[in-house]
Amino acid sequence: MKKGAKFLFRPAAVGIMILLVIAGLQAQLVTNGSFEECSVGPVSGTDVNGWVIEVDGSISPAPTIEIISDTVQSGSRAIKVGINAIGPDAWSIQLIGDSIPVIPGETYLATIWAKAQNASGQAVFSVGNYAYSEYGQIRPSSPNITTSWQQFSFSFTINDQQTYARAPIHFNFATNVGNIIYIDNLKIVNVNDSKKPVIVEAESGTGGSHYAVMQSGDVTYISPTTNNANLTYPGDSSRIKTYQVTFADSGSYNLFARVRVGASTFNDDSFFYGHGFGIKDTASADDWYMVNGLANAGFSNAGDFVDGPGSIGSGVWKWINITKNVYNSKGDSFYVSMDSLTRVFQIASREDGLDIDKLAFGKSYLYYTVNNLDSIQAGSSTGKAVDTSLIYKGPALAAGQDKFLGNVGDPPESIFLNYWNQLTPENAGKFVSVAGSSIDTTAWNWSPLTAAYNFAVNNNLIFKDHCLIWGQQQPTWISSLDSAQKVFYLETWIRMVGEKFPDMDLIDVVNEPLPNHNPPDGLGGRANYKDAIGGNGTTGWDWVVWAFTKARQYMPNTKLILNDYGIINDNNATTNYLQIINILNDRGLIDGIGVQGHRFELESGDTGTFRYNLSRLAATGLPIYISEFDLGNASDAGTADDNQQLQFYQRIFPTLWNHPGVKGITLWGYIEGRMWQNTCYLVHADFTSRPAMSWLIQYVKDHPAGVEETASTMPLRYRLEQNYPNPFNPSTQIQYSIPQNGRVLLKIYNLLGQEVATLFEGNQNTGTYTATFDGSRLSSGVYFYRLQVHQTNGRNSYSETKKLMLLK
């Protein structure tokens, strides 16, 4: 905190916030935390609503601070801080989130997103009072801001009697000079408030003339005046109620409703609600969910968790979990972004006789009782509604197998050992994490890497270190040295890693060396020492040879790996990669091949291409290690979609795991809220498994060591894969494998068993094949596909049938 700073009080912002609290809206506490209220351009002082910008007048040249729209974490605005020089004090350059209302004794969660142009960014994030005492902070011991957006978070408690706090961000670090740091989405929420349901009184909506507002005792509710049961969409705006809902926090929410079903029971128990937020088309069934079957559903006892369908009858007020129990199809949760905490939501009448008292939105990872919803109390992370069968207790998925299945940790969480038998430090092993703050080797910070290493050694995990040499996330001081000094410090770095961690199993010696990836060539903000350690040289890759030579010298007992991305999905990239591998292999310097497996490399790729390139790599005789593996939503967009993630895993993971050249896979995170790809988590915050994790656990158990294919990609047994995508519109792909030559029939059937399409009929040789089914001429519904194979020798035959769904 800056000492002696002027006390800046913003009565307008405070007045608005008090109004929100009085109204019970409990919105996030930082005014304009995402900078969405600003116009693009330079800013200073109090130009940014909700913020104070303070810069020491002695700094020359002064920093450039501006609101931007081209580099944002979400929404359409962020703030950009370019540091050209620094001042005498830690607070000489700071942004301050100002006038944040707080309550003595309450606990809050602060989160903020940051990235840097170069991987040497450094900042202090804190919250404190106006006497400059801090409630909580993140103080980096080395550069903590990388070239990718990262979320920083910490909790704090108001331990005095102050009712307003401030949130300074300090940028006055020597490592920041010449760098640009981007900040977005400062959020501070009361931990308890963020877990409370957001209650919407049904009568508070606008429009909906076909609803009557009624009174029963102390309950005011709405009731439809007309019947609309023949439609699958509202059909008329007069049946629609529109609400403005303000949320306390961003995140995914489930929808609840407090309803009473009329005397006609199953003729009084349905309504519509919008598919997501916003104004919906009255005549589009795709815009609406139809909720039906409420005559025998719901909960009314105060202690009941409103999670499953329930079984309460008609004539009583009861709570329904709408999102989890839409009767025609399971609904989606609602995602609220930091940039738009007030959202439009719509419902519409269908059958008269269904009374609606309240609607509620509750965090999707929490569980709410009837009393929690009635009394606006925080939900719980566990409860009767938690399906404990979805909390995996171990053993590690690949325990006792010939190949590992691991994950990252710096060090890992308590449940890590339940799942994984290999560990990679996500960030702790990077040069910048150890040596980012000082050229003085005695000041290098080895603690996080040591903690991860010790955890692995103490728990008999395979330890694979990451990013010994990489153009990104390097100490800023390395590029300013002369060539001899660069060589000295790089060799010192490699030597010290080898000395401190002698029992390391594997290490990524060089990461992302391919041109236009991340070699240390000084381009695109990368570190500049490639030429110092050999440059291209006579081999074209002398700098890589130098790194592996030194690693072999100082790490004689550790397997040395080359690692890069965009390989197996691209034939040309694999060819270029093999050039480096062969140079290293001829010299006896490489022990394994690393292939990154991020979702953006694999989600739209062809598994046949993956197999082909894995076999090309395996032909070198070196083991292959899949690194940084994650799958979630396509493009990591939107609310996490269980079905989409499951389909990606079912299509892609077996190709990697079952290839005999692959000796291990390292996932890049697995717990909700702790991953750089937000939708790729496999385990919820309450440690229950998503469907893809449940599938993965069973699949690895059923496919030990992945011995299903030879290096030449010839299958060893019959396989009929699940079609992808599924559901589909209008086309989908079906992959199958046959281990012997035979006559093949691949056909599609409807629910009546009638043949509707023949995808292939004829003789095929041993191999893996992909067929495309185009359902354009068919109606929506469930179909079946059947693979039949008759061997040419007439001895045996094979048949398997699977289900697919066409949705138009």
Side-chain angles (χ1 to χ4, degrees), residues 34-36 68-79 111-115 148-151 182-186 250 335 337-339 636 676 678:
S34 56
F35 307 101
E36 298 299 302
I68 57 171
S69 60
D70 58 348
T71 305
V72 299
Q73 190 274 323
S74 65
S76 60
R77 296 288 187 272
I79 196 164
T111 58
I112 191 166
W113 289 82
K115 67 172 288 187
S148 299
W149 282 109
Q150 290 178 279
Q151 186 184 60
Y182 305 89
I183 300 293
D184 202 359
N185 291 328
L186 170 62
S250 59
Y335 183 74
S337 71
M338 173 67 182
D339 304 295
D636 197 38
W676 80 297
N678 293 329

Side-chain angles (χ1 to χ4, degrees), residues 283-302:
S284 172
D286 291 338
D287 267 8
W288 300 89
Y289 281 122
M290 182 177 73
V291 185
N292 203 352
L294 302 185
N296 188 29
F299 302 86
S300 60
N301 294 326

Side-chain angles (χ1 to χ4, degrees), residues 293-514:
L294 302 185
N296 188 29
F299 302 86
S300 60
N301 294 326
D304 288 344
F305 281 90
V306 186
D307 191 61
S311 58
I312 302 297
S314 60
V316 297
W317 289 110
K318 56 188 180 179
W319 280 100
I320 309 282
N321 188 322
I322 299 297
T323 300
K324 291 189 175 181
N325 298 289
V326 173
Y327 282 76
N328 287 352
S329 63
K330 185 178 179 181
D332 294 328
S333 58
F334 290 79
Y335 183 74
V336 178
S337 71
M338 173 67 182
D339 304 295
S340 185
L341 291 173
T342 297
R343 307 302 298 270
V344 171
F345 173 67
Q346 292 186 313
I347 65 171
S349 63
R350 186 171 184 268
E351 291 178 316
D352 56 1
L354 178 68
D355 303 329
I356 303 177
D357 173 29
K358 293 178 176 68
L359 303 163
F361 292 90
K363 284 290 183 71
S364 58
Y365 73 93
L366 296 176
Y367 300 90
Y368 295 86
T369 64
V370 168
N371 188 56
N372 293 154
L373 295 169
D374 282 339
S375 305
I376 318 181
Q377 296 174 347
S380 60
S381 58
T382 59
K384 295 178 182 178
V386 175
D387 185 351
T388 56
S389 68
L390 295 177
I391 301 178
Y392 183 64
K393 306 297 194 305
L397 276 62
Q401 299 199 24
D402 292 336
K403 59 180 65 177
F404 65 73
L405 189 61
N407 220 307
V408 291
D410 279 341
E413 308 79 12
S414 60
I415 64 168
F416 189 94
L417 298 174
N418 294 357
Y419 298 90
W420 319 113
N421 64 343
Q422 179 267 326
L423 170 67
T424 291
E426 184 172 7
N427 292 301
K430 296 172 181 175
F431 196 9
V432 71
S433 298
V434 174
S437 61
S438 177
I439 194 172
D440 179 3
T441 59
T442 63
W444 289 4
N445 179 20
W446 297 95
S447 297
L449 182 56
T450 301
Y453 173 79
N454 288 341
F455 183 92
V457 171
N458 294 336
N459 291 285
N460 297 314
L461 299 176
I462 296 168
F463 185 78
K464 179 177 179 283
D465 199 10
H466 183 53
C467 290
L468 193 64
I469 298 294
W470 186 32
Q472 290 285 355
Q473 297 188 29
Q474 302 287 282
T476 53
W477 51 261
I478 191 73
S479 296
S480 62
L481 304 178
D482 62 35
S483 291
Q485 289 175 312
K486 289 176 181 177
V487 172
F488 171 78
Y489 279 102
L490 288 167
E491 184 169 354
T492 299
W493 158 241
I494 295 171
R495 174 180 58 79
M496 293 182 76
V497 172
E499 290 174 349
K500 289 180 177 292
F501 310 107
D503 294 326
M504 214 167 23
D505 297 286
L506 311 99
I507 188 169
D508 296 327
V509 176
V510 176
N511 193 50
E512 301 175 358
L514 288 177

Side-chain angles (χ1 to χ4, degrees), residues 594-661:
V595 176
Q596 292 182 27
H598 288 302
R599 55 133 203 100
F600 47 79
E601 304 169 74
L602 305 178
E603 63 190 21
S604 60
D606 175 68
T607 53
T609 301
F610 302 161
R611 288 190 185 92
Y612 171 68
N613 286 319
L614 285 171
S615 295
R616 294 174 65 197
L617 296 172
T620 63
L622 296 169
I624 301 167
Y625 301 98
I626 306 298
S627 61
E628 306 179 44
F629 182 77
D630 48 41
L631 293 169
N633 286 10
S635 301
D636 197 38
T639 303
D641 186 322
D642 285 348
N643 187 54
Q644 188 171 94
Q645 183 187 46
L646 176 61
Q647 289 183 45
F648 279 141
Y649 264 90
Q650 289 174 332
R651 181 173 69 91
I652 295 169
F653 183 83
T655 300
L656 308 181
W657 182 251
N658 293 332
H659 196 285

